Amino acid sequence: MPPISLKTLAATCVRGPTLDMPPIDRFGNATGVGYMHNTFAPKPSINSTYGSSRSIRGGSRLCYQAETLRQLDFPLKTCAYVIDLRCYVPIYFTEAARVALRPDVTIPRVLTLEAKNARGECHFHALFTRTIAAQKASKLAELGFTMEKADLEVFSVTEQKNAIWLYETVRHSNVELMRVPAQTIAQRLMRKSETPLKTRLERLHLAIREDNALREKFGLMPGDPVSLNDLYRWVVAAIVLGYLHVDLRERIQPHLPIKLVTREMGKLQETRG
């Protein structure tokens, strides 16, 4: 098995992991919605891109400094292999450093993953924007981290555009709260079709409005309103949560059919890493 990296997630990690994250990781930091992304973020600088963006899994806004991180956050936040994404995570090598709140290393991005060779456990993967000292890298490796330098070119231009579309579709929502409709709509769309996504969703929208039994499968009560935009959000949630395995190397747009990853394609992706 190749080492874990953004290039090898399909080969090394579980898609759509459902691990229950502990509220505090083994390094003493909060996880999920409890983590405050701006606590150890660098201060704004006139010499670099600086800002924040919404999380689509709930919690505080994610911070970035540098254009690479701003753009990389789109595919990271919408990646079906990532359980949790945290920014500027402090790591302490000694208790004295922890007490003084002086991190030995502050990691710009930490991805929580489930490795295929260690199922049921949280794996932490660090992304850095610059090279860190070999001694610190060694200590992080001893703590169980895998590491790489953040590189937007890991994702093709099409994958980047798809990630932006996915994010923009659900950026005011929390995909974790849409698991029931996401699973249901994934079951409806998991067959090959050359029909544009918009047409398929329009037909499904009409069916949901007329069929109470179908509404129940989506977690809706008889009088609950449902719009076509809701269906688009559920599709995106299904992709982000790993229920609907779409080939992100092909453009995703309402007027286009979605391209599913077949079992054979999935095996090829894993082989290539």
Side-chain angles (χ1 to χ4, degrees), residues 55 71 80 110 122 125-126 140 150 173 184 239 249 254 266:
S55 168
Q71 296 186 50
V110 171
C122 292
H125 185 69
L140 285 173
S173 307
T184 304
I239 295 171
R249 298 168 302 176

Side-chain angles (χ1 to χ4, degrees), residues 38-199:
N38 63 352
T39 304
F40 289 90
K43 301 302 179 183
S45 169
I46 61 173
N47 297 320
S48 64
T49 303
Y50 189 92
S52 64
S53 62
R54 292 176 181 269
S55 168
I56 60 171
R57 293 180 183 264
S60 64
R61 295 176 69 90
L62 283 71
C63 300
Y64 58 81
Q65 184 184 50
E67 182 63 14
T68 296
L69 289 181
R70 186 190 74 80
Q71 296 186 50
L72 190 60
D73 277 347
F74 291 112
L76 294 182
K77 285 187 286 192
T78 57
C79 180
Y81 296 93
V82 176
I83 305 169
D84 191 22
L85 172 65
R86 290 177 288 172
C87 304
Y88 302 105
V89 178
I91 301 297
Y92 307 92
F93 297 146
T94 65
E95 188 58 29
R98 183 183 301 277
V99 171
L101 290 179
R102 293 180 178 175
D104 293 284
V105 179
T106 301
I107 308 174
R109 296 290 182 273
V110 171
L111 282 59
T112 304
L113 310 164
E114 182 181 7
K116 289 182 177 179
N117 61 0
R119 291 178 181 261
E121 301 177 10
C122 292
H123 175 79
F124 299 101
H125 185 69
L127 296 180
F128 290 95
T129 54
R130 61 188 63 183
T131 304
I132 64 169
Q135 184 180 22
K136 290 184 177 181
S138 178
K139 288 184 177 181
L140 285 173
E142 290 174 4
L143 291 174
F145 279 95
T146 49
M147 295 159 268
E148 66 179 302
K149 188 173 181 181
D151 183 3
L152 184 63
E153 292 185 3
V154 168
F155 301 98
S156 69
V157 172
T158 298
E159 288 173 315
Q160 293 174 39
K161 288 181 178 180
N162 283 337
I164 292 172
W165 185 83
L166 294 173
Y167 171 76
E168 290 292 336
T169 303
V170 294
R171 69 188 181 98
H172 294 295
S173 307
N174 182 340
V175 296
E176 293 291 349
L177 302 180
M178 294 187 278
R179 284 191 176 271
V180 170
Q183 284 182 290
T184 304
I185 206 164
Q187 293 167 0
R188 290 268 167 168
L189 296 177
M190 275 194 294
R191 62 175 178 80
K192 287 186 178 181
S193 174
E194 292 305 313
T195 303
L197 177 61
K198 181 175 184 290
T199 303

Side-chain angles (χ1 to χ4, degrees), residues 255-268:
H255 65 279
L256 298 174
I258 55 172
K259 301 294 184 181
L260 301 178
V261 174
T262 63
R263 184 171 299 179
E264 291 72 21
M265 287 174 61
K267 288 181 179 179
L268 182 60

